[in-house]
């Protein structure tokens, strides 16, 4: 399966539990918003769409973590998600998690990985 990768940001742009980096992902229906964060030393990326309704999670751009810096929070109604999986932990997401994207970190660069099945 043919895959591509695209540079999102520098690895140093993502502090553990700190501000995320927003970016767009091209889909057949058009661009959709996404974000990358660092948690437990690893980088994770998700579509920026809440499981409750597809609103973007960050009211203040790039602020995805709650005050504890342990969970991702939707700024609209407060749904909590696991940073390492995007799973809904509590709130109005009601079991519907975030859509994960594949990323790779190499030599201080964060790459988004895509293939033909990422539609
Ligand atoms: S839109 Fe995210 S919890 Fe309601």
């Amino acid at each position: 399966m043919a895959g591509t990768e695209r540079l999102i940001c520098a690895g140093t742009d993502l502090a553990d539990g700190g501000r995320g980096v927003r970016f767009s992902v091209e889909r057949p229906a058009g661009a959709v918003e996404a974000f990358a964060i660092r948690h437990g030393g690893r980088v994770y990326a998700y579509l920026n769409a809440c499981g409750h309704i597809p609103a973007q999670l960050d009211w203040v751009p790039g602020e995805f973590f709650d005050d504890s810096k342990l969970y991702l929070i939707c700024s609209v109604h407060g749904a909590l998600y696991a940073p390492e999986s995007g799973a809904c932990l509590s709130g109005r997401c009601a079991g519907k998690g975030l859509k994960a994207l594949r990323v790779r970190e190499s030599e201080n660069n964060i790459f988004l990985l895509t293939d033909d099945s990422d539609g």
Side-chain angles (χ1 to χ4, degrees):
M1 178 178 309
T4 60
E5 59 182 36
R6 176 168 63 95
L7 179 65
I8 299 173
C9 64
T12 50
D13 290 342
L14 295 174
D16 215 302
R19 290 176 62 89
V21 169
R22 297 166 52 107
F23 60 97
S24 296
V25 178
E26 291 300 324
R27 293 287 197 245
V32 294
E33 297 303 308
F35 66 94
I37 51 93
R38 187 182 298 278
H39 173 73
R42 290 193 54 189
V43 174
Y44 300 91
Y46 300 98
L47 294 184
N48 195 358
C50 185
H52 176 214
I53 55 176
Q56 296 187 37
L57 274 66
D58 54 330
W59 200 311
V60 177
E63 296 292 347
F64 295 99
F65 281 97
D66 71 346
D67 289 344
S68 75
K69 308 301 183 192
L70 296 176
Y71 306 105
L72 303 177
I73 187 167
C74 176
S75 59
V76 181
H77 304 113
L80 290 179
Y81 297 92
E84 69 278 11
S85 66
C88 169
L89 299 176
S90 71
R92 296 187 187 185
C93 43
K96 190 172 177 194
L98 302 175
K99 169 79 169 114
L101 301 172
R102 293 178 303 127
V103 290
R104 177 176 75 86
E105 183 168 19
S106 176
E107 298 180 358
N108 194 36
N109 291 312
I110 309 297
F111 297 95
L112 172 70
L113 307 177
T114 60
D115 60 45
D116 295 340
S117 65
D118 292 336

